[in-house]
């Protein structure tokens, strides 16, 4: 895969993608709740993390988060993406005090209670991305979250060395992240993971990361999607002068993902490649990820999402139909054996009214807007 022509890899990747679904390309219509953006880690490329003294530091109350979720319901969203920094209460007294005032011992308790309130008050499905959770912490979310999110980013321990992207981010150690992926599998908890391409990894390391993800999924069947995300340098970070991955290299990584990953959906965020994202459909992707009609991408605020209408047009020109999905993938819903295993019984009454025979969101639910 490192020496083959991109055109040949794309032909194979397209063939393999069409075995998964040759009709639809999906996205998840979501509202993004930035619950707390303090974080114990310091990744060399990140602007999401704030210090307590920063004007942009966020620590929402449950009522504020639910109010945002209700705005998402009005905009016909079906996913509530809850994102936090990694265990902020370990590093910051301000975060610990915030949790204590709200009546929680730790962030996991808050996430479990907030997810329950959002589900019961809005009917939308929570999808939590709070980093490398333990098995116990994940089990607290199983009855209220349709799925989890946690980026592996890379399986290369080399990137934790001095001067590298993850030097000051112990939770990004591959052993920690891979353990969380396995824990989710042991709980039969659908999860989305992914790689960050262009942070000084080699192509061999990309392939190694993909093989590890695929092997874990072979054991448990719970990895519903892999995101291939291209690094973009951000001003004010240690990596602000680093280069983004070249287009041919990123394309090669995407095709490699499609060839290696068996039966796992593949996503590239369209807002991070606004001028060329349509080309990724030729590299084997079948999903655009979460797109919000009302909230920004708080992790990449400088990169606004394209309109859903634009994404629909781009998708149609490539011969596919854009359809909305839930934060849990259709195969886990419409296959009765998988549904019994991977979808908590408490969620089924919320899911059923939203879906059609394909396990996708009913088009009339979002007013057939495309």
């Amino acid at each position: 895969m490192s020496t083959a022509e991109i055109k040949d890899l794309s032909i194979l990747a397209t063939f393999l993608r069409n075995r998964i679904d040759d009709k639809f390309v999906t996205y998840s219509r979501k509202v993004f709740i930035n619950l707390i953006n303090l974080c114990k880690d310091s990744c060399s490329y990140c602007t999401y993390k704030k210090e307590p003294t920063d004007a942009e530091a966020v620590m929402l109350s449950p009522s504020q988060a639910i109010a945002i979720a209700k705005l998402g319901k009005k905009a016909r969203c079906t996913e509530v993406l809850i994102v936090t920094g990694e265990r902020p209460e370990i590093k910051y007294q301000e975060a610990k005090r915030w949790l204590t005032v709200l009546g929680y011992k730790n962030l996991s308790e808050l996430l479990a209670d907030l997810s329950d309130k959002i589900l019961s008050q809005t009917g939308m499905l929570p999808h939590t991305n709070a980093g490398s959770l333990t098995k116990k912490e994940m089990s607290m979310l199983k009855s209220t979250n349709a799925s989890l999110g946690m980026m592996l980013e890379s399986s290369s321990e080399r990137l934790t060395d001095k001067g590298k992207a993850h030097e000051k981010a112990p939770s990004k150690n591959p052993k920690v992240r891979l353990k969380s992926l396995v824990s989710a599998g042991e709980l039969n908890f659908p999860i989305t993971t992914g790689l960050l391409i262009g942070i000084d990894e080699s192509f061999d390391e990309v392939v190694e990361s993909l093989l590890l993800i695929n092997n874990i999924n072979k054991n448990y069947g719970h990895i519903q999607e892999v995101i291939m995300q291209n690094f973009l340098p951000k001003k004010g970070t240690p990596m602000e002068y680093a280069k983004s991955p070249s287009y041919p290299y990123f394309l090669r990584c995407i095709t490699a993902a499609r060839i290696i990953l068996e039966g796992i959906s593949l996503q590239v965020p369209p807002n991070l490649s606004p001028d060329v994202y349509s080309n990724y459909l030729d590299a084997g992707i079948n999903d655009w990820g979460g797109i919000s009609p009302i909230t920004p991408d708080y992790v990449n605020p400088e990169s606004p999402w394209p309109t859903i209408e634009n994404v629909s047009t781009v998708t149609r020109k490539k011969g596919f139909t854009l359809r909305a999905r839930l934060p849990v993938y259709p195969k886990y819903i419409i296959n009765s054996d998988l549904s019994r295993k991977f979808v908590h019984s408490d969620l089924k009454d919320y899911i059923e009214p939203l879906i059609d025979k394909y396990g996708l969101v009913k088009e009339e639910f979002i007013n057939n807007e495309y």
Side-chain angles (χ1 to χ4, degrees):
M1 283 187 288
S2 63
T3 57
E5 293 288 333
I6 288 286
K7 186 174 83 169
D8 295 333
L9 291 174
S10 295
I11 290 169
L12 177 55
T14 298
F15 169 76
L16 293 170
R17 187 270 315 284
N18 289 346
R19 286 171 60 180
I20 295 175
D21 192 339
D22 62 358
K23 279 200 264 189
F24 302 131
V25 173
T26 52
Y27 80 102
S28 182
R29 191 182 182 94
K30 73 180 181 187
V31 60
F32 193 141
I33 294 180
N34 177 26
L35 186 62
I36 176 169
N37 56 5
L38 309 187
C39 182
K40 75 177 182 66
D41 288 347
S42 296
C43 297
S44 296
Y45 46 77
C46 178
T47 56
Y48 173 76
K49 173 188 174 165
K50 305 301 179 195
E51 294 296 325
T53 53
D54 290 343
E56 294 176 324
V58 173
M59 287 179 276
L60 299 181
S61 67
S63 60
Q64 288 173 312
I66 292 166
I68 296 169
K70 287 179 177 178
L71 289 175
K73 184 176 178 63
K74 287 182 181 178
R76 305 179 305 284
C77 297
T78 54
E79 173 186 345
V80 179
L81 171 63
I82 306 171
V83 173
T84 76
E86 182 99 21
R87 305 183 191 281
E89 69 271 32
I90 290 177
K91 182 172 183 178
Y92 296 106
Q93 282 298 317
E94 292 87 346
K96 195 169 185 179
R97 194 178 312 117
W98 167 70
L99 287 165
T100 301
V101 169
L102 292 175
Y104 302 100
K105 294 178 184 175
N106 51 52
L107 186 56
S108 296
E109 276 192 7
L110 169 55
L111 288 167
D113 187 48
L114 177 61
S115 296
D116 182 59
K117 287 174 177 173
I118 286 172
L119 185 65
S120 61
Q121 293 183 37
T122 71
M124 290 190 293
L125 298 168
H127 168 92
T128 295
N129 190 330
S132 49
L133 300 176
T134 66
K135 191 173 181 180
K136 181 180 178 181
E137 289 167 336
M138 290 180 187
S139 66
M140 293 167 64
L141 301 173
K142 183 83 192 293
S143 65
T144 56
N145 277 251
S147 58
L148 295 175
M150 185 207 64
M151 294 286 282
L152 172 61
E153 296 197 3
S154 176
S155 65
S156 173
E157 292 193 22
R158 185 178 60 82
L159 297 181
T160 65
D161 291 347
K162 186 173 178 59
K164 297 295 184 182
H166 294 151
E167 175 193 355
K168 297 179 180 178
S171 78
K172 294 290 176 73
N173 185 296
K175 290 177 182 175
V176 174
R177 297 259 150 170
L178 291 167
K179 185 177 180 181
S180 287
L181 285 180
V182 169
S183 293
E186 291 170 345
L187 290 169
N188 298 324
F189 208 155
I191 193 167
T192 291
T193 189
L195 305 185
L196 184 57
I197 304 299
I199 54 172
D200 196 35
E201 81 292 335
S202 68
F203 182 72
D204 283 357
E205 288 170 333
V206 171
V207 170
E208 178 66 23
S209 300
L210 292 166
L211 288 169
L212 284 167
I213 290 170
N214 193 60
N215 286 336
I216 291 172
N217 188 62
K218 276 184 177 180
N219 289 332
Y220 302 103
H222 69 304
I223 299 178
Q224 59 177 8
E225 178 182 50
V226 166
I227 303 167
M228 298 297 282
Q229 181 175 330
N230 48 313
F231 159 75
L232 296 177
K234 299 177 190 291
K235 190 174 180 180
T237 66
M239 291 180 68
E240 72 172 296
Y241 298 114
K243 291 183 179 180
S244 297
S246 71
Y247 175 72
Y249 172 71
F250 188 45
L251 209 58
R252 188 175 295 274
C253 291
I254 296 169
T255 58
R258 181 65 287 150
I259 292 165
I260 290 170
L261 300 171
E262 301 171 63
I264 300 173
S265 282
L266 189 62
Q267 179 216 130
V268 173
N271 61 316
L272 303 184
S273 305
D275 298 325
V276 297
Y277 75 87
S278 65
N279 296 342
Y280 301 141
L281 289 168
D282 299 324
I285 75 164
N286 61 297
D287 185 76
W288 296 120
I291 300 175
S292 179
I294 58 170
T295 49
D297 179 352
Y298 288 105
V299 178
N300 303 284
E302 71 285 353
S303 301
W305 279 298
T307 65
I308 293 169
E309 183 182 12
N310 177 259
V311 176
S312 178
T313 299
V314 162
T315 304
R316 189 168 55 251
K317 285 181 178 177
K318 290 291 186 178
F320 299 97
T321 300
L322 182 70
R323 289 292 307 275
R325 61 168 172 82
L326 299 180
V328 58
Y329 262 81
K331 68 179 181 181
Y332 298 108
I333 300 170
I334 59 176
N335 181 307
S336 56
D337 290 336
L338 293 180
S339 180
R340 278 192 294 271
K341 185 175 181 180
F342 289 102
V343 179
H344 196 280
S345 56
D346 289 356
L347 296 173
K348 292 186 178 182
D349 286 344
Y350 294 98
I351 290 172
E352 287 299 324
L354 297 173
I355 58 168
D356 63 13
K357 65 179 181 179
Y358 299 108
L360 298 169
V361 178
K362 291 176 182 175
E363 293 193 84
E364 58 266 31
F365 180 82
I366 49 175
N367 294 344
N368 299 295
E369 69 172 39
Y370 40 76

